[in-house]
Amino acid sequence: MSVSYQPVIWNRTKLIYDSFLLCGVVLYILTFLKLAPLLLRPDQLPDLPTLRMCAFGSLAFLLLTIVLAIGPLARLDSRFLPLLYNRRHFGVVTAIVAATHALFVLNWYFSYSPTPMLRALFTSNTSFGHIAGFPFELFGVFALLVLAVLAVTSHDFWLSFLTPPLWKAIHMSIYFAYAAVVLHVTLGVLVTGQNLLLTILVGVSLALLCSLHLVAGGRERAADHAGSPAAPQPGWILVGDVSEIPEGRAVVGVAPGGERIAVFRSKGRLSALSNVCSHQNGPIGEGKVVLGFVTCPWHGYQYRLDDGCSPPPFKERIRKYRVALSGNQVHVEATPVPLGTRIEPVAIPDTVLAAIGSAPQGARPS
């Protein structure tokens, strides 16, 4: 979180995340350049510039695939949640690697062209009427432009300027970039007759990503469609048993109309907030309570449990709901209170905590 726009904001966790990411990039490039000559026959061995192109091109595709896989993986298994935290930096690194691949291609194939390199790129192959001769380079250029736009607009300034719904809609175009890369590689093989192994790997990644998204999306859609059962009180829903909520975590219910509500348990108390972060609509309910604040797993935006407001000087707010405990059953009023309304968290009786084999971590008023 920040109250002013800085080019790059790092904290200790982000520095560790980015360090692992950059070390992985360097290790992949060095390994590729070292192993590829050992695995190919001498007559198949490309020159060093071509190896560099392949190394950065394959790495860009691998990073793009991982970026797209993180979301559904985190939905299916909470152990992947930490990868969500700094995904914007992951995307920026992907764009830089893809741009490096493009520069190597331009410098190798068009350095001695009598026409400017970009003009030569767009006019060297114009067989639009034949699949085998289609100018596959255009798909690569399109994907690179999309990645560049997403990298530039990943900054919070653009999120605030465009508003979260529009910003998110723009960033969903990453799927168009991925589709363009698949076409770029597939048509490239048809034209050149090379890199059959890369085509197979692209096909495997495409099948994997489609499967992950279908499974995760099906699970989410089924949960939303079913909704949470109605509680005895009119206008309230039953979100589950208090024993299902780990300390510092949440269980998510679905109100009529599809609104998701996260009920957090912290220090023996229950609080209900909207599951949607005001920053990038991240899933608050998949986050945890850190130092007394609900923390979004995507970028660390924080909110108070009692009113859904970020601590000063921050101004972000999310919807707050009334919560009640009936025995072990957690009930939530489906209609939110006005933004910023303070509601005292509901204390879980010691008898209930004892029954579920848990004790509050920290003092709370009696």
Side-chain angles (χ1 to χ4, degrees):
M1 299 179 68
S2 67
V3 293
S4 61
Y5 298 120
Q6 301 176 22
V8 183
I9 301 173
W10 273 298
N11 55 36
R12 182 176 180 276
T13 303
K14 289 184 177 181
L15 285 172
I16 294 173
Y17 189 108
D18 289 349
S19 297
F20 274 100
L21 178 58
L22 293 178
C23 287
V25 167
V26 173
L27 183 62
Y28 179 93
I29 296 297
L30 294 179
T31 302
F32 190 101
L33 295 177
K34 188 71 175 179
L35 283 184
L38 300 177
L39 298 176
L40 296 173
R41 298 196 311 266
D43 61 313
Q44 296 176 321
L45 188 62
D47 48 50
L48 183 58
T50 303
L51 272 178
R52 289 174 182 159
M53 282 185 270
C54 294
F56 279 90
S58 59
L59 176 59
F61 182 75
L62 176 62
L63 293 173
L64 182 58
T65 303
I66 294 175
V67 166
L68 291 173
I70 288 175
L73 282 174
R75 290 281 190 281
L76 298 172
D77 192 325
S78 61
R79 288 175 294 183
F80 291 99
L81 278 173
L83 291 176
L84 277 172
Y85 180 66
N86 213 24
R87 195 167 46 168
R88 283 192 293 181
H89 286 202
F90 207 125
V92 172
V93 170
T94 301
I96 293 173
V97 171
T100 305
H101 164 73
L103 287 175
F104 277 134
V105 171
L106 284 174
N107 286 326
W108 176 244
Y109 286 105
F110 302 108
S111 286
Y112 301 103
S113 172
T115 57
M117 286 193 287
L118 286 179
R119 184 188 301 175
L121 172 67
F122 290 117
T123 57
S124 60
N125 184 6
T126 56
S127 302
F128 289 94
H130 303 85
I131 293 179
F134 196 89
F136 65 95
E137 301 90 348
L138 297 181
F139 290 107
V141 172
F142 172 77
L144 181 60
L145 290 176
V146 172
L147 292 176
V149 169
L150 300 189
V152 170
T153 58
S154 66
H155 197 274
D156 275 350
F157 166 78
W158 291 103
L159 179 65
S160 176
F161 178 74
L162 298 171
T163 71
L166 178 57
W167 186 93
K168 189 170 185 178
I170 292 174
H171 280 247
M172 290 297 286
S173 63
I174 190 172
Y175 289 98
F176 292 109
Y178 179 79
V181 172
V182 170
L183 290 171
H184 175 67
V185 174
T186 304
L187 291 174
V189 170
L190 290 175
V191 172
T192 63
Q194 299 175 349
N195 292 326
L196 180 61
L197 177 60
L198 180 59
T199 305
I200 295 174
L201 293 177
V202 169
V204 171
S205 76
L206 179 60
L208 177 64
L209 282 182
C210 289
S211 300
L212 285 174
H213 281 75
L214 287 173
V215 173
R219 181 182 293 185
E220 296 281 309
R221 191 176 298 108
D224 287 347
H225 180 73
S228 297
Q233 315 95 298
W236 289 63
I237 58 172
L238 170 63
V239 299
D241 192 287
V242 68
S243 63
E244 299 171 350
I245 313 176
E247 173 64 23
R249 296 285 186 174
V251 65
V252 178
V254 182
E259 174 73 19
R260 295 183 184 181
I261 303 171
V263 180
F264 283 89
R265 172 181 155 197
S266 175
K267 296 182 179 180
R269 302 180 184 191
L270 297 174
S271 304
L273 300 170
S274 168
N275 191 52
V276 180
C277 178
S278 66
H279 178 223
Q280 288 184 9
N281 296 339
I284 289 286
E286 295 175 11
K288 59 183 178 181
V289 179
V290 179
L291 300 177
F293 298 101
V294 173
T295 305
C296 180
W298 281 14
H299 302 111
Y301 273 62
Q302 293 187 309
Y303 305 91
R304 288 193 294 252
L305 287 163
D306 56 357
D307 61 7
C309 298
S310 295
F314 308 105
K315 299 179 180 178
E316 288 78 9
R317 298 188 297 180
I318 58 176
R319 286 189 286 273
K320 169 79 180 170
Y321 295 82
R322 301 185 190 281
V323 61
L325 195 59
S326 176
N328 285 16
Q329 301 297 306
V330 180
H331 297 177
V332 172
E333 190 175 25
T335 303
V337 298
L339 281 172
T341 301
R342 186 179 186 280
I343 300 175
E344 188 69 21
V346 173
I348 306 172
D350 290 339
T351 53
V352 174
L353 288 172
I356 63 177
S358 178
Q361 298 179 359
R364 63 180 172 84
S366 57

